[in-house]
């Protein structure tokens, strides 16, 4: 009887999950579902030989992976050509018309703002899932994808082999809950739902991924063995029958005008959707016509993505407060009535500086427009003067630091006011947080909450003090204990090996970023050498310049900084640079500037690839650059490169150069 019950529950739960996660039409309460799942799990433990290998209880693995294996895509996962105006959409249609001699029709779909993945099935069973990566090679994230309840582990009646492509995302409501929980635990918040989805899918522990409530929409058949389809729409309907959660698609459109009308309608629906989109995709429906149109090395010629403009919302400016940064810069920040913008609820936004506030004529109490710069950092764009009631009030910068009371000073030619206090606690806190950050000394576990506790208890008063902490001191802090203390000390010890480039960046010298820190380390090899340089020695290096060189020079003349460096040296922190040998000289003599966003590869990753092959990466566009590597949302650098006649290439062109 128990074995029959096990089989009955397996079948019932698969049905419940399909109704809830795919159709969004639950047929039982959450409690009833959870009780049935618990009962099934208990029966499976009792009768393991009768457990269905694709049972819902198998969606979370029991072990933590050591890393992700690479997956070479049999069908490249290409990106799409972007369009930002109706004119560009019409140009796309003209190219299609010129290449096809017969009638054609379009389908239009949401462009979901998530992470693209491939799902592979053999004889109806889910066998592997992978990220897009660079389009040709991705990472195997099968165990994490199994935690997504809307992905069927077994299909109803599938061909011998089937590969589909979809977009993993986190719904708006689930993203808000996720960030709220992180805020309560004093953990860093995710900037947007897309970043959260990408980070969740790359967790080595699938139980963490499960808690993030990821979802997916399938939007394409990559390949199919044993079954063919005449049109894309037919393929989507087939996938729907197989139990996939298919991207909403209303039908087909006989011409580009009707297709674009649907795009505009999707734009109006954007706020009402339960997930984030950043555009709409127009595709040729007929599969044979797609084959005639073909692809470039990067994009299919049979599809185009219309990108919506950056989302902007109106809300009330309740107050303006100032925040002290690690360099002492005092930045005005807007306190807002909470508003949902580009994937998250915003209640704070930057106002840049006092000049911006005065130029935009912004008053406390105004209705203001908010957007996210680069889809990440909330900023105030401007105020709606016609909404004013007369109760609004003008903002003035304070004369003293809100944290330490020291006078604020504005240097000639600068927009920012700065705190002049040498012992300002806000400057110190943010300086240490920066010192421990991933791109600097990368001290895992040393987040803002721990830094604040260490400062409040008097255990540290500078970055160097981190290397003299004792286990018993840390263990006595709130929510720490011996194990946490051991882990933190281990991370601090490991950070000693980071090297000169990371150490220079960790110092947080004004205007000196990662690229400049690497240039200094590459050129002068040791910290002692840099400390003995004159301004003119550093200013000669490309990527440095006189202003930055002056800041570096002044940093190493400050008595407090010199004391900190001596203590770091005594603690055994590495202060030299190991020059990496180039793996090849294929890019030798070529200089690149990188701008924009690249799916599956960070700009740091692209920089490393260029440098390992003998190329040089520059931080700014100038006549010294040979190429501009442009990704999505390339901004002012793209225009400057065009004006200077610099060659503009995509990521695939770099791969081609390296392969050659």
């Amino acid at each position: 009887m128990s074995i029959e019950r096990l089989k009955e529950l397996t079948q019932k739960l698969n049905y419940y999950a399909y109704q809830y996660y795919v159709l969004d039409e639950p047929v039982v309460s959450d409690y009833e579902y959870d009780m049935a799942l618990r009962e099934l799990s208990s029966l499976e433990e009792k009768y393991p030989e009768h457990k269905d290998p694709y049972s819902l209880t198998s969606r979370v693995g029991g072990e933590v992976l050591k890393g992700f294996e690479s997956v070479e895509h049999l069908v490249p996962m290409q990106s799409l050509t972007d369009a930002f105006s109706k004119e560009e959409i019409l140009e796309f249609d003209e190219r299609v018309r010129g290449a096809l001699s017969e009638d054609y029709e379009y389908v239009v779909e949401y462009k979901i703002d998530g992470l693209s993945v491939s799902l592979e099935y053999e004889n109806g069973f889910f066998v592997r899932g992978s990220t897009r990566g660079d389009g040709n090679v991705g990472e195997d994230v099968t165990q994490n994808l199994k935690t997504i309840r809307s992905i069927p582990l077994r299909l109803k009646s599938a061909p011998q082999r089937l590969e589909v492509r979809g977009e993993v995302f986190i719904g708006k409501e689930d993203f808000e809950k996720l960030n709220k929980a992180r805020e309560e635990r004093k953990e860093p918040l995710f900037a947007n739902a897309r970043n959260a989805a990408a980070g969740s899918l790359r967790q080595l522990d699938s139980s963490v991924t499960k808690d993030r409530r990821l979802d997916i929409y399938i939007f394409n058949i990559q390949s199919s063995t044993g079954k063919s389809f005449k049109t894309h729409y037919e393929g989507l309907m087939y996938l729907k029958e197989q139990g996939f959660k298919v991207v909403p698609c209303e039908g087909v459109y006989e011409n580009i005008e009707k297709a674009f009308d649907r795009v505009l309608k999707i734009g109006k629906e954007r706020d009402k959707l339960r997930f984030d989109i950043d555009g709409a995709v127009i595709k040729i429906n007929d599969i044979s016509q797609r084959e005639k149109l073909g692809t470039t090395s990067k994009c299919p010629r049979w599809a185009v993505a219309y990108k919506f403009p950056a989302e902007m919302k109106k809300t009330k400016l309740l107050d303006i407060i100032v925040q002290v940064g690690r360099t002492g810069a005092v930045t005005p920040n807007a306190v807002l009535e909470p508003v949902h913008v580009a994937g998250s609820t915003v209640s704070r936004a930057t106002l840049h500086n006092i000049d911006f506030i005065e130029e935009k004529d912004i008053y406390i109490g105004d209705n203001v427009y908010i957007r996210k710069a680069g889809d990440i950092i909330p900023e105030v764009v401007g105020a709606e003067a016609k909404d004013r009631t007369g109760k609004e009030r003008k903002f003035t910068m304070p004369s003293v630091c809100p944290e330490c009371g020291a006078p604020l000073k504005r240097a000639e030619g600068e927009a920012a006011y700065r705190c002049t206090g040498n012992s300002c606690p806000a400057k110190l806190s943010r300086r240490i947080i920066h010192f421990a950050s991933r791109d600097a000394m990368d001290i895992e576990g040393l987040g803002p909450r721990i830094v604040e506790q260490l400062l409040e208890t008097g255990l540290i008063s500078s970055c160097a003090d981190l290397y003299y902490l004792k286990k018993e001191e840390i263990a006595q802090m709130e929510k720490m204990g011996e194990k946490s203390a051991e882990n933190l000390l281990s991370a601090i010890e490991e950070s000693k090996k980071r090297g000169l480039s990371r150490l220079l960046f960790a110092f947080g010298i004004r205007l000196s970023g990662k690229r400049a820190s690497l240039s200094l380390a590459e050129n002068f090899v040791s910290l002692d050498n840099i400390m003995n340089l004159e301004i003119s020695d550093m200013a000669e290096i490309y990527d440095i310049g006189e202003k930055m060189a002056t800041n570096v020079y002044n940093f190493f003349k400050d008595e407090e900084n010199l004391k900190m460096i001596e203590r770091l040296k005594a603690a055994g922190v590495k202060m030299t640079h190991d020059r990496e040998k180039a793996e090849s000289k294929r890019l030798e003599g070529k200089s690149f500037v990188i701008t924009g966003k690249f799916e599956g590869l960070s700009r740091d990753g692209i920089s490393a690839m260029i440098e390992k092959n003998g190329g040089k990466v520059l931080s700014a566009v100038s006549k010294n650059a040979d190429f501009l590597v442009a990704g999505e949302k390339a901004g002012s650098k793209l225009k400057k490169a065009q004006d200077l006649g610099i060659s503009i290439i995509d990521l695939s062109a770099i791969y081609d150069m390296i392969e050659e």
Side-chain angles (χ1 to χ4, degrees):
M1 184 66 183
S2 295
I3 295 171
E4 290 176 7
R5 177 61 175 163
L6 184 152
K7 292 177 180 177
E8 178 192 350
L9 282 171
T10 300
Q11 190 174 0
K12 274 188 176 181
L13 280 162
N14 283 331
Y15 172 69
Y16 294 161
Y18 176 72
Q19 290 292 128
Y20 184 90
Y21 293 106
V22 178
L23 300 184
D24 201 19
E25 296 173 1
V27 291
V28 294
S29 67
D30 288 350
Y31 177 79
E32 189 175 345
Y33 179 91
D34 291 339
M35 290 301 101
L37 192 63
R38 180 179 291 184
E39 183 184 354
L40 175 61
S41 180
S42 177
L43 288 170
E44 287 174 343
E45 285 183 18
K46 193 173 181 180
Y47 305 102
E49 69 275 14
H50 292 284
K51 177 180 176 179
D52 186 324
Y54 290 88
S55 165
L56 288 180
T57 60
S58 302
R59 284 191 177 271
V60 184
E63 61 178 304
V64 178
L65 300 175
K66 293 181 179 178
F68 297 110
E69 293 184 2
S70 296
V71 175
E72 189 170 347
H73 300 305
L74 296 177
V75 179
M77 296 177 69
Q78 295 185 307
S79 55
L80 293 172
T81 302
D82 290 336
F84 298 91
S85 66
K86 185 176 180 181
E87 289 71 28
E88 290 178 78
I89 294 294
L90 294 177
E91 288 171 8
F92 162 75
D93 183 61
E94 284 178 16
R95 292 193 295 271
V96 170
R97 192 183 312 117
L100 298 176
S101 57
E102 66 269 20
D103 292 337
Y104 53 89
E105 57 190 14
Y106 290 112
V107 289
V108 180
E109 301 164 358
Y110 297 123
K111 188 176 185 301
I112 297 164
D113 196 12
L115 187 76
S116 197
V117 297
S118 161
L119 309 179
E120 298 174 53
Y121 291 79
E122 291 179 3
N123 299 314
F125 293 99
F126 177 47
V127 294
R128 187 167 68 173
S130 53
T131 60
R132 177 181 178 272
D134 64 7
N136 295 308
V137 178
E139 292 180 319
D140 188 329
V141 288
T142 306
Q143 294 306 314
N144 288 344
L145 287 168
K146 280 184 177 180
T147 70
I148 302 176
R149 302 299 177 113
S150 46
I151 292 179
L153 301 181
R154 177 166 45 195
L155 306 181
K156 295 175 181 177
S157 58
Q160 181 182 348
R161 190 181 185 284
L162 178 70
E163 182 179 355
V164 298
R165 183 172 173 180
E167 196 81 1
V168 172
F169 64 93
I170 295 180
K172 293 176 181 177
E173 188 176 326
D174 287 327
F175 177 69
E176 293 297 334
K177 289 177 181 176
L178 174 61
N179 257 353
K180 187 175 181 181
R182 291 178 71 85
E183 187 175 24
E184 288 171 357
R185 297 194 298 266
K186 296 185 178 179
E187 295 175 352
L189 302 186
F190 288 112
N192 53 46
R194 187 187 188 283
N195 285 7
S200 301
L201 201 58
R202 296 197 74 258
Q203 292 290 325
L204 294 174
D205 184 350
S206 61
S207 63
V208 176
T209 308
K210 175 179 175 287
D211 291 338
R212 300 284 174 82
R213 297 183 67 84
L214 297 178
D215 205 343
I216 191 171
Y217 271 121
I218 304 300
F219 62 82
N220 199 55
I221 295 176
Q222 296 292 91
S223 66
S224 173
T225 303
K227 188 168 181 62
S228 59
F229 304 93
K230 187 176 185 303
T231 67
H232 175 68
Y233 188 76
E234 178 192 343
L236 290 182
M237 294 306 101
Y238 170 78
L239 294 178
K240 198 170 184 179
E241 291 171 6
Q242 294 301 310
F244 287 103
K245 189 170 184 176
V246 174
V247 67
C249 183
E250 289 194 347
V252 298
Y253 302 90
E254 61 188 23
N255 59 53
I256 196 65
E257 290 291 342
K258 291 183 178 180
F260 191 68
D261 285 344
R262 173 59 184 152
V263 169
L264 297 179
K265 186 179 177 184
I266 287 175
K268 292 176 182 176
E269 296 170 356
R270 190 177 180 184
D271 286 346
K272 300 173 186 174
L273 297 173
R274 70 173 193 84
F275 49 85
D276 288 315
I277 62 173
D278 59 356
V281 182
I282 300 175
K283 302 176 178 177
I284 287 290
N285 189 33
D286 189 282
I287 303 299
S288 63
Q289 290 177 336
R290 289 184 177 188
E291 291 171 356
K292 288 179 185 176
L293 290 165
T295 68
T296 66
S297 61
K298 183 183 178 184
C299 306
R301 293 190 177 95
W302 43 263
V304 65
Y306 180 81
K307 303 297 285 289
F308 297 135
E311 190 177 10
M312 196 153 57
K313 292 288 184 67
K314 186 163 79 168
T315 189
K316 184 171 284 293
L317 174 60
L318 302 175
D319 199 2
I320 297 176
I321 58 174
V322 294
Q323 185 176 37
V324 185
R326 61 182 170 82
T327 63
V330 180
T331 305
N333 284 277
V335 180
L336 309 163
E337 278 189 0
V339 59
H340 194 276
V341 184
S344 66
T345 299
V346 172
S347 57
R348 294 281 195 278
T350 181
L351 282 160
H352 304 293
N353 51 61
I354 188 65
D355 291 345
F356 176 84
I357 294 171
E358 291 175 352
E359 179 190 335
K360 297 292 183 180
D361 192 30
I362 296 170
Y363 281 67
I364 298 170
D366 272 344
N367 285 333
V368 293
Y369 291 97
I370 308 298
R371 71 179 178 195
K372 282 189 176 180
D375 283 341
I376 293 178
I377 303 170
E379 64 176 355
V380 176
V381 178
E384 189 64 271
K386 68 179 183 182
D387 290 350
R388 286 177 181 157
T389 63
K391 295 181 180 179
E392 296 77 17
R393 64 187 193 277
K394 189 177 179 65
F395 169 77
T396 55
M397 283 292 290
S399 58
V400 297
C401 173
E403 297 287 345
C404 69
L408 297 185
K409 185 178 179 182
R410 186 179 189 179
E412 188 177 344
E414 284 196 2
Y417 282 82
R418 296 184 185 277
C419 170
T420 56
N422 290 328
S423 57
C424 177
K427 287 164 65 174
L428 178 58
S429 171
R430 290 180 176 86
R431 195 176 297 141
I432 294 171
I433 291 168
H434 171 76
F435 184 88
S437 65
R438 181 178 299 176
D439 291 331
M441 300 304 279
D442 192 15
I443 304 176
E444 189 175 347
L446 188 61
R449 182 178 64 85
I450 303 297
V451 171
E452 292 298 335
Q453 282 194 69
L454 290 169
L455 288 168
E456 286 169 8
T457 53
L459 292 177
I460 60 172
S461 58
S462 80
C463 298
D465 291 339
L466 294 170
Y467 296 94
Y468 295 88
L469 288 169
K470 295 180 174 58
K471 185 173 79 171
E472 56 270 21
E473 295 174 333
I474 301 171
Q476 291 175 3
M477 292 185 352
E478 185 183 353
K479 295 181 180 179
M480 287 301 286
E482 285 200 16
K483 185 62 178 174
S484 297
E486 286 175 7
N487 291 339
L488 180 56
L489 287 175
S490 176
I492 292 171
E493 184 66 26
E494 186 67 23
S495 75
K496 293 179 181 180
K497 307 172 187 175
R498 302 291 180 232
L500 179 59
S501 171
R502 300 275 285 274
L503 181 63
L504 287 170
F505 179 65
F507 286 153
I509 303 169
R510 280 185 59 211
L511 303 180
S512 181
K514 288 187 293 181
R515 177 59 46 194
S517 299
L518 180 59
S519 290
L520 285 169
E522 284 279 354
N523 279 277
F524 300 109
V525 184
S526 77
L527 188 65
D528 286 339
N529 289 342
I530 295 171
M531 290 171 68
N532 291 320
L533 293 173
E534 296 297 326
I535 292 173
S536 57
D537 298 326
M538 290 181 277
E540 289 177 0
I541 301 169
Y542 190 81
D543 273 349
I544 303 297
E546 190 169 339
K547 281 188 178 179
M548 195 186 301
T550 302
N551 288 337
V552 173
Y553 179 84
N554 290 337
F555 180 88
F556 291 118
K557 297 304 175 189
D558 183 273
E559 285 297 323
E560 289 299 316
N561 292 336
L562 293 176
K563 288 177 186 176
M564 176 186 69
I565 290 166
E566 283 304 312
R567 296 196 74 220
L568 289 172
K569 189 180 290 185
V573 174
K574 185 176 180 180
M575 297 189 173
T576 56
H577 178 69
D578 298 326
R579 289 183 174 132
E580 286 190 23
K581 291 183 179 180
E583 292 178 358
S584 80
K585 295 184 178 181
R586 293 185 179 97
L587 302 181
E588 192 173 41
K590 297 182 174 70
S591 296
F592 301 80
V593 177
I594 306 167
T595 187
K597 292 168 63 178
F598 301 84
E599 189 172 352
L601 196 61
S602 68
R603 281 189 277 191
D604 284 345
I606 298 167
S607 297
M609 179 173 64
I610 290 169
E611 288 166 350
K612 282 180 181 178
N613 286 278
K616 185 175 182 180
V617 180
L618 309 178
S619 60
V621 176
S622 73
K623 61 183 180 181
N624 296 316
D626 299 308
F627 302 97
L628 178 80
V629 188
E632 290 183 18
K633 299 182 180 177
S636 58
K637 287 183 179 178
L638 177 59
K639 186 178 185 307
K640 188 171 182 182
Q642 289 169 335
D643 293 342
L644 291 173
I646 293 167
S647 296
I648 297 165
I649 60 174
D650 59 20
L651 196 52
S652 62
I654 297 179
Y655 289 124
D656 290 343
M657 290 181 197
I658 293 170
E659 286 170 7
E660 288 171 6

